[in-house]
Each structure stands twice: as structure tokens, then as C-alpha cells.
Amino acid sequence: MRIIVHGSELAAATAAAAMASVGHRVDWYPHPDTVWTQLAAADWLSGEPFVAEQLTASRDSGALRIHDAPTALEEPLEADVLWLALAPDQRDAAERFVDDVAGAQSSPLVVVNNSTFPVGQTEALEALLRHASQVAVVLPDMLEEGRAWQVFTRPSRWLLGCEDDWAADQVRELLRAFNRRAEVFQRMPRRAAELTKLAINGMLATRISYMNEVAGLADSLGVDVEHVRQGMGADTRIGYEYLYPGIGFGGPNFSRDLMRLADVQHQTGRESQLLEQVLDINEGKKETLFRKLWNHFHGKLEGRTVAIWGAAFKPGTTRIDHAPVLTLLRALWAQGVHVRLHDPAALPALRKELGEHPLLSLHEDDPYAACEGADALMLVTEWKCYWNPDWRRLAETLGERLILDGRNIYDPVYVAARGLVYRGIGRRADP
């Protein structure tokens, strides 16, 4: 098939790379605000496993062409599929591009809306098409940062919003190479698919915030929340997914999907007290480690030095969008705390976001260098390189031997037995 991809999101890059890798002829038009020369230098793209390498390989083979045209198509092109993977605030760009493509060809066309737009936007895009053989469908972006290639090429499911049988068959053919192990398409009406994507992330966020509330309650009652988590997860009605207490979620897609769902509720005249609570709880949890540090030192923090391991909003990504570390840093600096921070991938993004700060030093190579001269260590992002540290070295390096585990990845009893003071999220070192 001949495919046109439009957008500068991770979803656009992954779709262009994956579809070109299986024989489709792909023309990718990044959004004018972030052209290819900027994308090629972006840490979040170069750090995404397999995607950048496959983009290079597909360009070298001729299966993929990347265009930096400012707005419209560089040349008339009879395409089979137009794949839109744009940011939520780029609806106008989507409509302009669909209008350009539809006006340039008379052959059948399927517009695949892979963007997180308001519910009903796919129907609005279809209204711009010129012929009855041109149809718009929705295929919500289900990618995960750090696992985009794996999720796209070995999907567990695709939500296909489509009322037209011919268009559904075209989408199945488009993605046939990634649909061989088992049938992964769940077909439904377009508006249902658009709402389902938002509802899924709303449910996941609710589970996270609820578990964080339970962890706070466990702290107050002297209960180890790990017992509670295991008991809840063993109930088949609940399960273990997204049931891990922590210091809040972040990320560009998850956070804005929640805001989009809240907007949908507001536009229909239905205010969502639940979503508001979920978002409020999440923002409050981002200061959890700061409050534990405050309590440990009885509020006397000025002049202290703290080491932080992890800045990215999740392991496997270079992004810090809405990351808990941003809230944590501001709280620490407000009290005059010096911060020594290590992250294996996200420091360029942190420098770009925060610039230079007199109370911040960044360490790219050695996580233990960040601990030198520190009173305590805060674990913020659960990168694998942090899971099994040299506890003897930490005990010798940290002035107060304090470990603040924001992701509950350490065994409290084991850490305490190594001579350190452990504080987790609802975890306890005693039985």
C-alpha cells in the first residue's frame, strides 16, 4: 500500500518506521512545528528502542521518504491510506492536511485517525473527504513510551472505530503483518473507540491514585501496604496491574488524556468529581518523598544535601513531561536543599526544562557520584540500574543513611539489615 503519515508524535514516527519495514511505501510529513531535522535530534526519539534505527533503514531502502514541506504535499500522490498521528491541539492541522490529500486524488482513501482528538472528530474529518469511497476511521494511539516498537509490531489489541466494512478490511490489510499471532482488532463505532481510549487511561489513573491513597492510610495505621497490595491483587476481580503505590504518574500522553476526558465531561455538561479527585491526588503524591524527608529531619532542611536517582517520568524514556521529579525539586529548593541528581537518559530534557540552578548538580555516568556528600537518597524513577545497589557503599556514603524509596522497589527489611534507614510508600521495615 501507499501510505501518507502526518504528525511529529512518537506514534507518527513508530507508524512510519513499522509500516515501511514490512513493504508499504510510506511518505511521512512531520508537523511544521517540529520538522524532521528537529525530530532527528530529539532525545526522546533517538532513545526509543528500534524506532530510530528502523527509520534510517527504511530511508536507505527507499521504502520511506520523509518530507519537511511546511504545510501541503510536495507533489500529488495517490495514496491508499492517510495516517494522522498529531498532538491533541493540532486538530486544525489535521483538517488542513486531510483537505489537501482528499483534494489531490480521486481514488479510494482511508483516513486513519491515530490522534487523541475530541470525541466526534473522526466524523468531522470524514466530512472533508470528496468521494463516497473515501472513509475516515479511528485507531486510537495505544503506544507506551519506551516500548513503542514492541507495542506496534506485536500488539495485544487495536481498537478500531469503523462503521464501513470496506474500510475495516483496508485497515486489516494495512496492519496484517502485525496481526498474525491472534486476532487483535476490536471493532466498534467511531465515537465509542474515541471514548474508550480516554476511558481506559481514566481507569488506570484511578487505580494508581486509589492505591496511593491506600498506601497513605497504611502508613497512618502502621500497616505494610505490600500485604494489602498482594491481597487485593489476588482477587480475580481486581488483579495486580497498575496496583503499585508510588509518588504519582506523569508523561505527555497519560496526563493529557485525562485532561481530554475531563474536557469531554465538561462539554456534555457532566462534571466529573472522580476525575478531579484522581488528578488532585496524583499531584499531591508527587510531594510524598519531600514530606517524608521533612518529617525525618523535623522540618530542618536548609543546607541539607539530597541525592536523587531518576528524573524521567518512567523507565525507558528520556521525557520528563509532568514527571514527579519536577514537583519534588521545587519543594526541596524552596527549603534550601542541595540536590545531586542522576538519570541514565533524561538529563538533557531536565537541563532544557530547568536550566542552571545553584542548588542542582547533575551526574550522567555514575549514580554513586550523586550520593557523595548527600544526607539521603531518593529513588524517583525505577530504572533497572537502581534495583540492586551496593548497599555497603551507600551506607558509607550517605551522611544520615536515609533511603526514601518512591517506587517501593527495595525490600525494607533487607535495607534496614544493611544499616540504613528505609522509608517507602506505605512500606515498613518491621513485620
Side-chain angles (χ1 to χ4, degrees), residues 223-232 427 430-431:
V223 173
D224 188 339
V225 76
E226 180 63 10
H227 297 305
V228 181
R229 186 191 70 82
Q230 291 184 10
M232 291 174 64
R427 298 300 315 274
D430 52 315

Side-chain angles (χ1 to χ4, degrees), residues 7-8 30-39 44 68 90:
S8 297
H31 187 273
D33 288 349
T34 314
V35 295
W36 170 243
T37 51
Q38 296 170 284
L39 284 171
W44 62 264
D68 266 346
Q90 294 172 341

Side-chain angles (χ1 to χ4, degrees), residues 254-284:
F254 205 44
S255 300
R256 71 190 183 191
D257 281 359
L258 292 179
M259 295 305 298
R260 178 67 65 192
L261 182 56
D263 288 344
V264 170
Q265 292 267 42
H266 179 73
Q267 290 166 7
T268 60
R270 304 171 64 89
E271 300 299 330
S272 175
Q273 295 181 1
L274 176 60
L275 274 181
E276 291 174 5
Q277 285 293 313
V278 167
L279 291 167
D280 288 345
I281 290 169
N282 187 61
E283 289 306 306

Side-chain angles (χ1 to χ4, degrees), residues 302-326:
E302 187 171 2
R304 294 277 181 186
T305 298
V306 170
I308 291 180
W309 281 359
F313 78 88
K314 62 178 282 189
T317 182
T318 64
R319 298 206 189 200
I320 59 167
D321 308 60
H322 309 288
V325 74
L326 299 175

Side-chain angles (χ1 to χ4, degrees), residues 112-430:
V112 176
N113 178 16
N114 190 228
S115 313
T116 303
F117 290 149
V119 175
Q121 182 63 27
T122 306
E123 296 169 14
L125 293 173
E126 185 171 278
L128 300 170
L129 302 177
R130 303 293 202 277
H131 309 283
S133 61
Q134 297 178 344
V135 182
V137 305
V138 60
L139 200 69
D141 169 20
M142 307 295 284
L143 299 185
E144 300 173 28
E145 296 263 356
R147 298 181 60 248
W149 181 264
Q150 179 181 347
V151 172
F152 194 103
T153 60
R154 298 176 68 85
S156 60
R157 72 195 187 287
W158 281 108
L159 297 176
L160 174 58
C162 178
E163 289 90 351
D164 186 279
D165 291 339
W166 170 80
D169 289 341
Q170 290 292 95
V171 173
R172 290 175 184 275
E173 176 60 26
L174 173 70
L175 300 174
R176 180 166 52 85
F178 315 120
N179 189 35
R180 298 195 66 192
R181 293 183 301 162
E183 174 59 40
V184 298
F185 286 98
Q186 183 178 5
R187 184 176 167 186
M188 60 184 69
R190 287 175 291 192
R191 289 194 174 211
E194 291 168 331
L195 181 56
T196 298
K197 163 65 189 309
L198 299 177
I200 287 171
N201 279 350
M203 175 61 77
L204 297 180
T206 301
R207 285 174 67 97
I208 293 170
S209 288
Y210 178 73
M211 200 62 209
N212 283 337
E213 284 287 272
V214 171
L217 181 60
D219 259 339
S220 300
L221 296 175
V223 173
D224 188 339
V225 76
E226 180 63 10
H227 297 305
V228 181
R229 186 191 70 82
Q230 291 184 10
M232 291 174 64
D235 190 317
T236 57
R237 297 169 299 176
I238 298 174
Y240 291 99
E241 294 298 320
Y242 285 78
L243 211 61
Y244 294 89
I247 52 174
F249 55 79
N253 297 326
F254 205 44
S255 300
R256 71 190 183 191
D257 281 359
L258 292 179
M259 295 305 298
R260 178 67 65 192
L261 182 56
D263 288 344
V264 170
Q265 292 267 42
H266 179 73
Q267 290 166 7
T268 60
R270 304 171 64 89
E271 300 299 330
S272 175
Q273 295 181 1
L274 176 60
L275 274 181
E276 291 174 5
Q277 285 293 313
V278 167
L279 291 167
D280 288 345
I281 290 169
N282 187 61
E283 289 306 306
K285 292 302 177 182
K286 292 178 181 180
E287 289 191 352
T288 298
L289 293 188
F290 170 77
R291 290 194 292 270
K292 289 180 178 293
L293 185 75
W294 174 280
N295 291 334
H296 182 83
F297 290 112
H298 306 289
K300 299 177 181 179
L301 297 182
E302 187 171 2
R304 294 277 181 186
T305 298
V306 170
I308 291 180
W309 281 359
F313 78 88
K314 62 178 282 189
T317 182
T318 64
R319 298 206 189 200
I320 59 167
D321 308 60
H322 309 288
V325 74
L326 299 175
T327 301
L328 180 59
L329 285 172
R330 295 185 186 102
L332 291 169
W333 292 339
Q335 297 298 318
V337 177
H338 295 260
V339 178
R340 300 172 61 84
L341 190 149
H342 177 274
D343 188 284
L347 294 190
L350 197 66
R351 288 192 186 95
K352 183 177 180 180
E353 175 72 19
L354 301 175
E356 299 293 329
H357 195 284
L359 295 178
L360 176 66
S361 63
L362 302 179
H363 301 266
E364 298 187 21
D365 300 320
D366 183 6
Y368 296 98
C371 298
E372 294 175 2
D375 297 299
L377 169 62
M378 293 180 169
L379 186 284
V380 173
T381 309
E382 65 274 30
W383 289 95
K384 288 300 183 184
C385 61
Y386 301 146
W387 278 70
N388 293 102
D390 184 338
W391 294 112
R392 181 178 300 175
R393 186 173 178 181
L394 288 177
E396 294 170 351
T397 304
L398 297 174
E400 297 292 331
R401 296 191 171 192
L402 175 62
I403 302 292
L404 297 160
D405 181 2
R407 300 298 177 184
N408 286 359
I409 66 172
Y410 301 132
D411 181 338
V413 176
Y414 184 85
V415 174
R418 301 308 297 252
L420 293 115
V421 178
Y422 178 89
R423 297 287 185 269
I425 311 301
R427 298 300 315 274
R428 298 179 62 82
D430 52 315

Side-chain angles (χ1 to χ4, degrees), residues 26-80:
V26 180
D27 284 84
W28 178 18
Y29 290 81
H31 187 273
D33 288 349
T34 314
V35 295
W36 170 243
T37 51
Q38 296 170 284
L39 284 171
D43 293 315
W44 62 264
L45 180 55
S46 61
E48 188 71 33
F50 305 111
V51 175
E53 295 90 332
Q54 188 57 56
L55 286 171
T56 299
S58 295
R59 293 186 79 188
D60 291 344
S61 71
L64 170 65
R65 297 189 299 175
I66 302 177
H67 309 266
D68 266 346
T71 51
L73 300 175
E74 291 181 348
E75 58 189 54
L77 180 64
E78 291 288 327
D80 299 298

